[in-house]
């Protein structure tokens, strides 16, 4: 058949509110056995960030391996609590809540505070630094709580359009490119096989007849299968002495348990509030942390929109977004009380895994939260899984971050990309969203401080934190241009006719199915 014989409508794909082809959407559930296995897979994936952030920060604070393990346990424990809060009382989307890299800039600023660096005893410096971080995180949590529960963030989100959300959601995934192949390249003999095996199992072999009770094993569990195989491979390389005479940095990225997690972890340890002591509150420390809370808010908003698409749900209305941000603020308050060394945000890699498995079930994510809490208490067992080299996680990120970025690009289907206005807005915001944070990161690496380097430390933290986040820069540019540049006559080009019905909770009958609170709580907290 010649191309000319195709009808025009056969060659076009109609825009869709919900993605098709998902086996389980947000409120449908696999069988319990499959759900538990999928939840465990999400838990394994969440370990990458939970281990990496304390590994970066705790040594700078003066902490030893025992301190690092306790912080990892605490971060996982609180992550499980925050995930349950978000899936039950927040947006109710299937999102894992994990540690946020956005808080690293203000945390490092606190670590370098002269009042703390002059403490000679390392352990005492670690404790005092942790208490100072706790105080700043607690203060910053009220920003999200107020913006969320007051519905202010929902009001702000009414200025968003499909066009404006394209670069924000896209850069939530693509903006993390430095955590992808650059990390894989630090141990190519492990990272590259992991990347290839994951792609082959999850994509090329997913239709092969490896089914148990009609469950497509390779598609559902490609991540777990490939991780186990490459982990065993890395363990064999470690035991065989392949890295005995290699540089220290190579050993850190390639050897199994080079970080001494298993030997340092207690058998049983339950994290508890104020375990490091009472928080210390400094006004100067709080401003940078507030900036991180705002960045986390924006990145999580993009994460919620991506998760809604990959869970085959309707776009979350402003009321639901605000409720989610308010609940996230409560989670940030819990972070501060327990002392996780950072704040929380939507785990981008776990959002990507929804698409890779084609399972957007809320129950699966709640089960993964149970694993996070359980294995954070059983320290030795949790440390065993956490000993997986980060290079293996980085290989998986190359796929999952790309999936999330593609979700952002999928919003283009609701816009008119034949419009030069839309091309200008999307192109400039995407480019600057990548380029500006890249400049800030390169400058910081070479100069050992951010481009903002004045005598006002709080101002430096604020600017360096805000402009180091690709989704945040993209949102500021895209939303400003979209609402000021020939916007009066461009509603259809921006995708607003499709978007309008999702701007109120009652605008679409499906919202009640996806986003109503459990236990009939919506009767007491009706949508606005």
């Amino acid at each position: 058949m010649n191309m000319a014989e195709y009808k025009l409508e056969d060659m076009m794909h109609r825009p869709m509110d919900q993605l098709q082809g998902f086996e389980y959407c947000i409120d449908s559930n696999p069988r319990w056995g499959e759900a538990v296995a999928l939840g465990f897979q999400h838990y394994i994936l969440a370990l990458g960030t939970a281990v990496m952030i304390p590994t970066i920060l705790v040594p700078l604070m003066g902490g030893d391996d025992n301190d690092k393990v306790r912080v990892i346990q605490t971060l996982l424990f609180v992550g499980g609590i925050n995930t349950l809060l978000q899936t039950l009382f927040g947006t109710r989307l299937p999102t894992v809540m994990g540690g946020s890299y956005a808080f690293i800039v203000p945390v490092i600023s606190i670590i370098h505070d002269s009042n703390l660096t002059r403490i000679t005893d390392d352990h005492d410096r670690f404790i005092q630094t942790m208490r100072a971080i706790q105080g700043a995180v607690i203060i910053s949590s009220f920003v999200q709580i107020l913006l969320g529960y007051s519905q202010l963030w929902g009001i702000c989100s009414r200025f968003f359009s499909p066009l404006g959300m394209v670069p924000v959601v896209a850069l939530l995934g693509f903006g993390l490119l430095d955590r992808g192949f650059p990390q894989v390249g630090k141990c190519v003999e492990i990272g590259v096989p992991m990347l290839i095996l994951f792609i082959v199992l999850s994509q090329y072999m997913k239709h092969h007849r490896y089914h148990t009770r009609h469950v497509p094993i390779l598609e559902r569990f490609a991540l777990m299968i490939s991780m186990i195989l490459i982990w065993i491979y890395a363990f064999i390389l470690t035991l065989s002495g392949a890295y005995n005479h290699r540089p220290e940095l190579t050993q850190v990225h390639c050897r199994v348990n080079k970080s001494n997690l298993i030997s340092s972890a207690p058998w049983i340890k339950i994290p508890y509030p104020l375990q490091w002591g009472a928080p210390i509150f400094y006004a100067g420390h709080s401003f940078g942390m507030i900036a991180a809370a705002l960045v986390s808010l924006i990145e999580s908003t993009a994460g919620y929109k991506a998760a809604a698409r990959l869970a085959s749900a309707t776009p979350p209305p402003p009321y639901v977004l605000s409720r989610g941000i308010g609940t996230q603020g409560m989670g940030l308050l819990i972070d501060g009380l327990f002392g996780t060394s950072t704040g929380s945000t939507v785990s981008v890699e776990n959002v990507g895994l929804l698409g890779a498995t084609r399972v957007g079930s809320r129950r699966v994510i709640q089960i993964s939260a149970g694993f996070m809490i359980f294995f954070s208490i059983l320290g030795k067992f949790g440390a065993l899984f956490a000993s997986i080299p980060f290079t293996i996680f980085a290989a998986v990120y190359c796929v999952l971050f790309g999936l999330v970025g593609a979700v952002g690009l999928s919003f283009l289907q609701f816009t008119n990309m034949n419009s030069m206005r839309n091309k200008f807005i999307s192109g400039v915001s995407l480019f600057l969203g990548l380029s500006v944070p890249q400049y800030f990161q390169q400058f910081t690496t070479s100069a050992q401080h951010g481009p903002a380097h004045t005598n006002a430390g709080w101002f430096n933290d604020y600017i360096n934190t805000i402009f180091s986040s690709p989704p945040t820069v993209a949102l500021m540019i895209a939303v400003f241009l979209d609402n000021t540049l020939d916007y009066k006559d461009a509603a259809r080009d921006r995708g607003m006719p499709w978007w309008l019905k999702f701007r109120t909770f009652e605008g679409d009958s499906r919202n009640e199915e996806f986003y109503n609170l459990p236990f009939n709580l919506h009767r007491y907290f009706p949508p606005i």
Side-chain angles (χ1 to χ4, degrees):
M1 183 181 290
N2 296 326
M3 289 295 295
E5 297 178 27
Y6 282 104
K7 294 181 180 179
L8 180 61
E9 55 266 27
D10 294 333
M11 301 173 62
M12 297 176 66
H13 299 280
R14 296 183 63 186
M16 289 184 166
D17 297 344
Q18 300 168 268
L19 292 182
Q20 302 299 304
F22 273 73
E23 194 98 8
Y24 301 99
C25 66
I26 185 172
D27 55 354
S28 60
N29 302 307
R31 295 183 181 92
W32 275 105
E34 184 182 357
V36 169
L38 286 166
F40 183 75
Q41 190 169 235
H42 274 277
Y43 157 72
I44 291 293
L45 184 60
L47 286 173
T49 298
V51 172
M52 181 53 62
I53 291 178
T55 299
I56 294 170
L57 296 177
V58 171
L60 297 177
M61 297 161 63
D64 56 19
D65 288 337
N66 293 319
D67 297 321
K68 180 171 66 176
V69 166
R70 284 189 65 189
V71 175
I72 291 171
Q73 287 180 280
T74 303
L75 188 54
L76 278 172
F77 184 83
V78 173
I81 293 174
N82 289 344
T83 299
L84 288 176
L85 286 175
Q86 192 62 242
T87 55
L88 285 172
F89 308 114
T91 61
R92 307 216 68 216
L93 289 165
T95 50
V96 171
M97 304 303 293
S100 172
Y101 285 89
F103 290 80
I104 288 182
V105 172
V107 166
I108 290 179
S109 179
I110 292 174
I111 291 172
H112 292 154
D113 188 294
S114 58
N115 292 324
L116 297 170
T117 54
R118 66 167 63 105
I119 300 175
T120 55
D121 182 77
D122 283 344
H123 184 69
D124 187 37
R125 178 161 60 88
F126 167 77
I127 294 295
Q128 296 302 316
T129 303
M130 181 62 81
R131 292 171 62 193
I133 293 170
Q134 286 181 259
V137 170
I138 289 172
I139 294 296
S140 69
S141 70
F142 291 105
V143 173
Q144 292 188 356
I145 291 172
L146 291 173
L147 287 175
Y149 289 136
S150 69
Q151 292 298 313
L152 281 174
W153 186 241
I155 294 172
C156 293
S157 70
R158 295 178 185 275
F159 292 95
F160 303 163
S161 71
L163 179 66
M165 284 295 99
V166 167
V168 182
V169 180
L171 293 189
L172 180 70
F174 297 145
L176 298 173
L177 53 88
D178 60 314
R179 268 176 257 161
F181 205 84
Q183 300 298 323
V184 172
K186 292 179 179 178
C187 189
V188 291
E189 60 267 36
I190 292 176
V192 171
M194 177 65 200
L195 176 60
I196 294 173
L197 184 60
F198 181 51
I199 292 175
V200 169
L201 292 182
S202 66
Q203 302 302 315
Y204 289 94
M205 298 184 68
K206 66 181 180 180
H207 297 302
H208 284 230
R209 295 181 179 178
Y210 298 106
H211 290 66
T212 302
R213 295 185 179 180
H214 306 290
V215 177
I217 299 296
L218 293 182
E219 182 180 40
R220 292 284 192 275
F221 304 107
L223 183 142
M224 190 185 303
I225 294 170
S226 54
M227 268 194 168
I228 290 173
L229 292 175
I230 300 299
W231 189 19
I232 293 172
Y233 166 59
F235 187 72
I236 293 172
L237 288 179
T238 301
L239 286 184
S240 66
Y243 303 112
N244 287 351
H245 305 292
R246 300 289 293 276
E248 181 68 18
L249 196 59
T250 300
Q251 294 193 41
V252 168
H253 290 101
C254 297
R255 289 180 66 97
V256 174
N257 198 33
K258 177 64 178 176
S259 55
N260 300 320
L261 292 178
I262 297 176
S263 60
S264 302
W267 282 102
I268 297 178
K269 182 72 175 182
I270 302 177
Y272 55 92
L274 308 183
Q275 59 186 333
W276 314 107
I280 302 173
F281 299 94
Y282 292 107
H285 294 165
S286 300
F287 284 100
M289 209 65 78
I290 288 173
L294 292 173
V295 168
S296 169
L297 179 153
I298 292 170
E299 292 178 350
S300 291
T301 298
Y304 296 139
K305 291 187 178 294
R309 293 286 288 168
L310 292 175
S312 200
T314 53
Y319 166 75
V320 173
L321 281 179
S322 275
R323 191 177 70 195
I325 293 303
T327 306
Q328 185 174 319
M330 296 300 297
L332 197 55
L333 178 61
I334 297 173
D335 287 327
L337 292 173
F338 275 79
T340 60
S341 78
T342 184
S344 55
T345 191
V346 171
S347 175
V348 182
E349 53 268 34
N350 290 91
V351 172
L353 188 57
L354 300 177
T357 60
R358 293 195 301 126
V359 176
S361 168
R362 183 190 298 122
R363 177 182 291 174
V364 167
I365 299 303
Q366 292 171 338
I367 291 173
S368 75
F371 279 117
M372 294 168 73
I373 294 172
F374 180 74
F375 283 113
S376 64
I377 294 173
L378 296 180
K380 291 289 186 185
F381 292 99
L384 173 65
F385 299 122
S387 67
I388 301 172
F390 185 74
T391 306
I392 292 178
F393 289 102
V396 176
Y397 293 168
C398 292
V399 176
L400 301 184
F401 290 164
L403 271 174
V404 174
V407 171
L409 296 181
S410 73
F411 282 106
L412 288 172
Q413 68 185 298
F414 306 110
T415 69
N416 176 18
M417 286 311 293
N418 290 318
S419 162
M420 284 306 301
R421 172 193 181 274
N422 287 4
K423 283 183 169 61
F424 177 84
I425 293 172
S426 57
V428 170
S429 54
L430 276 168
F431 183 82
L432 289 180
L434 282 173
S435 188
V436 171
Q438 183 73 8
Y439 163 72
F440 271 72
Q441 292 167 14
Q442 289 181 352
F443 190 101
T444 302
T445 300
S446 61
Q448 297 301 305
H449 60 77
H453 188 58
T454 67
N455 292 328
W458 63 269
F459 175 80
N460 301 337
D461 293 343
Y462 201 91
I463 296 298
N464 294 331
T465 300
I466 291 290
F467 289 97
S468 293
S469 166
T472 305
V473 174
L475 181 136
M476 290 190 295
I477 296 172
V479 172
F480 174 78
L481 291 175
D482 192 33
N483 286 277
T484 58
L485 184 61
D486 298 333
Y487 69 96
K488 291 184 178 179
D489 301 320
R492 183 172 297 275
D493 288 347
R494 299 165 65 198
M496 294 307 292
W498 170 77
W499 195 260
L500 283 175
K501 64 180 177 179
F502 302 113
R503 292 179 71 174
T504 61
F505 193 89
E506 294 81 8
D508 192 292
S509 59
R510 293 168 292 179
N511 288 338
E512 184 174 343
E513 173 189 356
F514 297 135
Y515 300 118
N516 258 352
L517 292 173
F519 317 121
N520 287 325
L521 288 175
H522 54 275
R523 295 182 179 180
Y524 306 100
F525 302 98
I528 297 175

